[in-house]
Amino acid sequence: MYSSASQFDGNAAFSGGGFMPSQATQGPDRSPFPSKNRDAQSLLPLTVKQISDAFQSSDEKTNLIVDGVDVNNVTLVGRVCNKAGRITDVTFLLDDGTGRIECNKWLQEAVDMNEAEGILDGMYVRLHGHLKGFQGKRMLNVFSLRPVTDFNEIASHFIDCIYVHLYNTRLRTGVSNQQHVSNPKPITPTKSYHAQANPLNQFSGQHINGQKSVEEMVLDVLHLPTNRARDEGVPRDLIAQHLGVSLDKLMLAVKNLIEEGAIYEAIADHYKSIING
Amino acid sequence: MLQPLLRKQKVEFFKLYIYSFTWLIFSFLFQAMDTSNPAAFVNAQLLPNFIGKKVRAVVQVNQCDGGVAIAKSIDDHQLTIKGLPQVPLMNYVEVIGIAESNNSIDAEIWTDFGNTFDANSYNQLCQLANGEFKSLFL
């Protein structure tokens, strides 16, 4: 994923020039943070309380970590208080009911200014920002700020916070085992794979006594080594023959799998699993 | 005679200025993130747990006169809301204020949430925010 860093070594080319990270921290493998993948850079819905708790339990030098995930960009919903506008930037406190956090938005263009002018004290806003430490305190560098018009967004945001917390604390521990397998080959995209794994489990849930669903059996067939090797995919007749099910039943399962994104039609009536490699 | 006195006063003033400035900086530092006074998500059922504390509740105002409003909580109980101005009747209104008793809130802030608000989801959120996931909120 980060192979470009090894192809072009900026440190070697420009001797750093003061802008490159020092040798010790450079390179994806030697990074002090365990996962510098895209998961770590995701936008986290958080409450101010979560940020505050994480801040108190971490020393200031390192990144903020909430539920084992590096916090960079966050999204919050709350009321604006103590707004102070200046020519270059606007600062305010965001009160989401769990606490208050200082926010700052730089005004670069006329659009930003109009946007900021529309935000008044007492308004509910959804904001996206970058959490950063500045002189020993945490503040939020806001890059998007818009008023909440449908107030269901407030409940929705907090339910999001709960979900992400649950995902990162419980569900993720199962996922991370597979993510940290030190296989140098670019294997399956774990994130999307697991996203698909759930719907497939649902299929199996529909069947009694742990009997495999047609969908799962189709995947099993497609995952057979001989079938993996077929670039053109596996003909549907062959799958049907292999499973001993009618073509109608098979096509229903195939359609479901295609909708889930688990398989695709390589050429007409030939199917391939996306995780064939 | 007058000169040294004036100078002394000047120094005093300067000291005061420095003190107030440091205080300002400090208060600013600690203001950066403040979770000391959260407003708990409540429905009528949860209200008794927060008497004397700050709460936020969504209600539908049935009638409102003289600053005292009779309202229905999202879990279908009757609440008395004090300090509320004339708000649109039957709209969902969020009030943030101090829980006074098992069924009354002294409102400080109110926001009109309109009439397309999903009370059921909000009610469930109240329960989650005071139950399993309390650590995220309070």
Side-chain angles (χ1 to χ4, degrees), chain A residues 47 49-50 52 55 79 96-102 124 137-138 151-152 154-155 158 162 165-166 170, chain B residues 28 32-35 38-39 41 56 94 109 111-113 116-118 125 128 132-133 135-138:
Chain A
T47 65
K49 173 77 171 14
Q50 283 177 291
S52 167
F55 181 44
R79 290 176 64 252
D96 75 346
T98 72
R100 293 172 163 209
I101 188 167
E102 200 181 309
Y124 270 100
K137 60 176 181 171
R138 289 277 165 179
F151 291 93
N152 287 309
I154 297 168
F158 287 107
I162 291 174
H165 167 74
L166 204 59
R170 298 199 195 153
Chain B
F28 192 62
M33 220 170 352
D34 173 16
T35 53
F41 279 105
R56 60 202 313 206
E94 183 199 50
I109 299 161
T111 311
D112 184 5
F113 277 10
T116 57
F117 188 71
D118 182 357
L125 173 64
L128 288 172
E132 200 183 338
F133 301 101
S135 63
L136 271 60
F137 296 88
L138 295 173

Side-chain angles (χ1 to χ4, degrees), chain A residues 234-243 245 247 250 269 271:
Chain A
V234 186
R236 65 179 182 185
D237 297 329
L238 196 71
I239 304 173
Q241 196 190 333
H242 203 286
L243 296 177
V245 296
L247 207 57
L250 174 73
D269 298 334
Y271 300 94

Side-chain angles (χ1 to χ4, degrees), chain B residues 42-52 55 79 99 101-104:
Chain B
V42 294
N43 54 24
Q45 206 192 338
L46 293 157
L47 192 59
N49 304 335
F50 295 95
I51 292 172
V55 292
L79 293 179
S101 71
N102 287 355
N103 49 20
S104 83

Side-chain angles (χ1 to χ4, degrees), chain A residues 127-179:
Chain A
L127 60 79
H128 297 215
H130 180 79
L131 206 58
K132 63 172 193 179
F134 179 63
Q135 294 174 350
K137 60 176 181 171
R138 289 277 165 179
M139 61 185 300
L140 200 64
N141 196 1
V142 178
F143 33 76
S144 154
L145 180 67
R146 64 178 176 73
V148 168
T149 49
D150 181 343
F151 291 93
N152 287 309
E153 191 167 348
I154 297 168
S156 160
H157 167 74
F158 287 107
I159 292 167
D160 247 5
C161 293
I162 291 174
Y163 173 75
V164 169
H165 167 74
L166 204 59
Y167 178 85
N168 286 333
T169 49
R170 298 199 195 153
L171 304 176
R172 197 184 164 84
T173 45
V175 176
S176 61
N177 290 340
Q178 275 156 308
Q179 276 183 337

